[in-house]
Amino acid sequence: MSEILSIKNLTKAYTSQKNSVQVLRNVDLSVSQNEFLSILGPSGCGKSTLLRCIAGFEPYEGKIICNGKLADKPSTDRILVFQDYNQLFPWKTIEKNIWYPLKLKGIKNKKELQEISDIYLKKVGLTGKGKLYPHELSGGMKQRAAIAKALALKPDIILMDEPFAALDAITRNALQKELSAIWADNGITVIFVTHNIQEAIVLGTRIILMGRNGEIVIDKKNELPKPIKPSSKDYGIMWDMFSNALEKESKI
């Protein structure tokens, strides 16, 4: 697989008048096309900051190159899906939420916009829900709508910051399966931040663990055959490795 993202010597600090807090330290990371990269780490280790730097929302030191271009500002080739559905405008219907960024890209024909929104709502299991407003949807449906909105832009990379953390266990498990199917069917690259070790293993083709000091301490290919379940062979070995490492980093 060809490289789609290259991060070299990425360093990020938040500075105020009183002090400076370094969040990321000399991060080097290469991501291949169609990879599903799960990112684990203790709270405050810089996982979300890393996504925001890749998305172009944060200034940083170092280099982030996406498809040969410097990623120093937001672009539709890198779409960030948040945990709290902030990307959905409450005053717009679900389909018009999807239309809005497409119009900014220059698509004006209403028939074409309708066709695009229908296609991607179907992909996430929301056929017939386009006329509804966000407040009329459950949390799981809102997150599906946010994913449909991201997919409709045909990004090179979808960045997901704990997108299922606020959902109940049943909905979360269902969306994990749906996301795996969407990833497999659409040939996209996903970078997925989570605190949940099981989620990281079930979804990721590769898993990294970030340490307390904002560095990558484990980078491992996930070669367990999909679909992955806790009963899968060698699942326990993978879980124990990341659980022990995460516990160690959390105590530092």
Side-chain angles (χ1 to χ4, degrees):
M1 292 186 292
S2 59
E3 181 182 85
I4 193 170
L5 182 73
S6 174
I7 299 175
K8 299 291 185 184
N9 199 30
L10 176 63
T11 298
K12 172 66 182 179
Y14 290 108
T15 304
S16 67
Q17 291 181 341
K18 294 183 179 180
N19 62 356
S20 177
V21 178
Q22 194 163 22
V23 182
L24 298 171
R25 286 177 171 82
N26 306 316
V27 173
D28 291 328
L29 180 65
S30 176
V31 180
S32 297
Q33 192 169 9
N34 298 2
E35 197 164 32
F36 196 121
L37 176 65
S38 294
I39 303 178
L40 288 164
S43 296
C45 72
K47 303 184 299 297
S48 295
T49 300
L50 174 60
L51 286 195
R52 291 181 63 83
C53 288
I54 296 171
F57 294 159
E58 297 276 357
Y60 56 83
E61 295 180 21
K63 278 190 176 182
I64 301 177
I65 305 294
C66 179
N67 268 340
K69 299 178 182 178
L70 185 64
D72 59 352
K73 57 185 177 182
S75 169
T76 55
D77 64 356
R78 293 162 278 114
I79 299 296
L80 180 57
V81 176
F82 300 93
Q83 176 182 332
D84 54 8
Y85 329 124
N86 277 341
Q87 62 269 58
L88 296 178
F89 299 124
W91 61 88
K92 290 182 180 290
T93 63
I94 296 305
E95 66 183 15
K96 288 186 177 178
N97 264 281
I98 295 173
W99 294 3
Y100 180 75
L102 294 171
K103 286 181 176 180
L104 294 180
K105 285 191 73 173
I107 300 174
K108 304 297 184 182
N109 183 276
K110 187 173 180 179
K111 183 180 179 182
E112 184 179 0
L113 290 167
Q114 188 71 63
E115 289 174 351
I116 293 171
S117 63
D118 286 349
I119 287 170
Y120 288 98
L121 286 173
K122 182 178 180 179
K123 284 181 183 290
V124 299
L126 289 180
T127 298
K129 305 295 185 183
K131 305 296 184 186
L132 299 179
Y133 288 85
H135 74 271
E136 297 179 283
L137 302 183
S138 67
M141 286 180 174
K142 288 178 186 176
Q143 201 58 287
R144 287 184 188 136
I147 294 170
K149 182 179 178 181
L151 287 171
L153 289 166
K154 298 183 178 179
D156 295 320
I157 302 175
I158 292 185
L159 307 161
M160 309 189 82
D161 191 5
E162 298 194 70
F164 307 149
L167 305 176
D168 64 85
I170 293 174
T171 304
R172 185 172 190 154
N173 288 339
L175 285 185
Q176 286 172 3
K177 292 177 182 178
E178 289 181 13
L179 179 60
S180 284
I182 290 167
W183 166 75
D185 291 344
N186 289 274
I188 53 176
T189 303
V190 178
I191 302 179
F192 188 98
V193 163
T194 180
H195 274 97
N196 188 302
I197 298 172
Q198 179 177 338
E199 186 167 69
I201 297 173
V202 166
L203 292 174
T205 59
R206 177 181 166 201
I207 306 167
I208 66 173
L209 175 72
M210 295 184 66
R212 172 65 63 185
N213 293 323
E215 300 170 318
I216 295 173
V217 295
I218 296 178
D219 186 341
K220 184 170 180 60
K221 291 281 187 183
N222 183 3
E223 297 178 339
L224 300 183
K226 291 184 177 293
I228 300 171
K229 302 177 181 178
S231 58
S232 298
K233 185 177 183 295
D234 294 332
Y235 173 93
I237 295 172
M238 181 85 78
W239 197 94
D240 285 343
M241 179 183 69
F242 281 102
S243 178
N244 293 336
L246 186 57
E247 182 179 4
K248 178 182 176 182
E249 291 298 326
S250 297
K251 290 179 178 179
I252 293 176

